[in-house]
Amino acid sequence: MKTTDLREEIIKTAKENAADIVCFAPASRFDEGDPIFKIFPETKTVICLAFRILRGVCRGIEEGTTYYQYPTMGVETMEETVMPIASLKVCNLIEGEGFTALPQRRHYTIVAGEKDTSPEMQHTSVFRGRGKEVQMNFEKSAVLCGLGEIGFHGAVLTDEFGPLQRYCFVLTDAELDADEVKKPHLCDKCGECVRGCPGHAIDEKTGKVDKWQCAVYYDGACGLRNPFMAPDAYANFKNRLEIIAGEAKVTPETAAEILNANVFYPTIMQGYQACMCGRACDTECYVHLEEKGVLAKKFHDKFRKRPKWSFKIEDFE
């Protein structure tokens, strides 16, 4: 099979297995010291497979009703089932043509920093201080493949779905035609991602995310946005009202204590954390981009149908 035909077959196979966007980058776009060359020194092409996060799985958290759809169907099932199957199908196709193909997925249980964490993963499951040089930079790699641009809060934004997609990669020694890197045009640094975070985990000047702060409030520590929090939550914490209001500034140590006290919703399989904020940063970004009318994927109704709901801190005093 010609490489031009192989490229088309890769796209076809990926989309038949639930991928929404497939894009390609030559290895020459990556720095010589990039992890892809330690993972597979003979890499010639990096293939990005992106999968939309259904708006429907975000509805329960938007309405404050059911919360399991997003972490189970929007995170766990995609990361553990849908995306691995699609990438393996693509790799099987490539290796059937005599080239080598390595599927690359995020390893949420491994972080480079000794005091870092993965907000979507239960903190007790995370291995710290490992994998710095042997894990791809997913956001950077997605941009180099032509998937989209980096938004202010660090998420990759695409023309089709804004921040609502997950993605994985395939490294191969097959030389395939590349897609162009997209020029940034979606993020206008509006700050909705910053204001939307219930735990103030995003720096308003730099957009940098404090991952421990994010983890605490991803898991529901803000009672103003958590319909399952008991009125006497965090009774043993001196700063309980600050935690509930989303105003407590945490350290890795205090974050772990709060996370251990967060018992609001059943945990997810595979070590994934129950999500109570619904990645509010991404939601607010999406709402903003939809209101601007810049997303290619259109829907009959706007995602945000009603004013955002919220409880009062007095409910916990």
Side-chain angles (χ1 to χ4, degrees):
M1 187 186 302
K2 296 180 180 178
T3 54
T4 52
D5 294 333
L6 177 57
R7 186 183 193 277
E8 293 306 310
E9 284 298 313
I10 288 169
I11 295 172
K12 178 183 176 183
T13 298
K15 291 191 173 183
E16 286 176 345
N17 287 276
D20 291 285
I21 307 172
V22 186
C23 43
F24 302 75
S28 58
R29 279 186 190 161
F30 293 75
D31 299 333
E32 291 183 2
D34 193 278
I36 66 168
F37 298 114
K38 296 181 180 179
I39 297 168
F40 183 32
E42 290 76 30
T43 299
K44 295 291 190 299
T45 304
V46 179
I47 308 169
C48 179
L49 312 179
F51 305 74
R52 76 179 76 183
I53 296 172
L54 295 172
R55 296 205 322 173
V57 305
C58 301
R59 284 242 61 84
I61 299 177
E62 172 72 6
E63 304 296 348
T65 53
T66 54
Y67 280 58
Y68 65 86
Q69 295 98 336
Y70 176 78
T72 57
M73 302 299 287
V75 181
E76 181 200 25
T77 301
M78 291 182 69
E79 291 285 346
E80 300 295 333
T81 304
V82 176
M83 292 162 60
I85 288 175
S87 59
L88 285 171
K89 292 276 190 178
V90 167
C91 289
N92 286 342
L93 169 65
I94 294 171
E95 296 214 342
E97 293 300 313
F99 299 101
T100 300
L102 282 71
Q104 294 292 301
R105 54 167 292 184
R106 274 189 212 263
H107 294 283
Y108 292 92
T109 55
I110 302 173
V111 298
E114 292 288 350
K115 292 190 175 183
D116 204 355
T117 197
S118 296
E120 291 183 330
M121 186 62 56
Q122 293 172 24
H123 74 97
T124 53
S125 301
V126 177
F127 289 78
R128 297 176 174 82
R130 306 184 187 186
K132 183 177 182 180
E133 297 179 350
V134 293
Q135 286 207 68
M136 294 177 65
N137 182 320
F138 266 53
E139 289 74 25
K140 176 183 175 182
S141 299
V143 170
L144 291 178
C145 285
L147 179 62
E149 65 184 80
I150 301 292
F152 185 69
H153 65 300
V156 173
L157 312 181
T158 66
D159 288 320
E160 293 83 354
F161 311 113
L164 298 185
Q165 63 267 308
R166 305 184 82 89
Y167 44 91
C168 57
F169 298 91
V170 170
L171 308 181
T172 179
D173 54 1
E175 293 193 48
L176 304 168
D177 290 342
D179 290 288
E180 293 183 0
V181 175
K182 287 185 168 56
K183 294 182 180 179
H185 62 285
L186 292 171
C187 181
D188 56 9
K189 295 182 173 56
C190 65
E192 291 298 332
C193 55
V194 176
R195 290 185 287 274
C197 177
H200 307 290
I202 307 170
D203 188 280
E204 63 181 6
K205 294 182 179 179
T206 66
K208 183 178 180 180
V209 178
D210 183 323
K211 291 184 179 179
W212 279 105
Q213 192 83 15
C214 174
V216 165
Y217 288 96
Y218 178 97
D219 194 38
C222 179
L224 309 186
R225 295 285 299 169
N226 184 348
F228 306 101
M229 184 179 288
D232 61 348
Y234 307 118
N236 296 326
F237 290 76
K238 293 180 179 180
N239 62 336
R240 62 178 297 271
L241 290 181
E242 289 182 359
I243 296 171
I244 294 169
E247 298 173 353
K249 185 63 177 175
V250 306
T251 64
E253 293 74 25
T254 59
E257 293 176 2
I258 296 170
L259 286 166
N260 290 337
N262 285 2
V263 185
F264 309 120
Y265 214 65
T267 55
I268 312 304
M269 299 295 289
Q270 313 289 352
Y272 289 101
Q273 195 68 281
C275 180
M276 305 302 290
C277 79
R279 293 200 68 87
C281 52
D282 287 346
T283 301
E284 298 306 320
C285 175
Y286 180 84
V287 168
H288 175 70
L289 294 175
E290 185 177 57
E291 288 177 348
K292 285 178 62 180
V294 297
L295 297 178
K297 176 60 180 174
K298 307 294 183 184
F299 289 84
H300 295 292
D301 294 319
K302 297 295 185 183
F303 177 77
R304 179 147 294 156
K305 302 174 184 293
R306 288 164 278 280
K308 285 179 63 176
W309 58 270
S310 179
F311 297 113
K312 297 179 180 179
I313 192 64
E314 289 79 14
D315 298 329
F316 299 93
E317 291 179 343

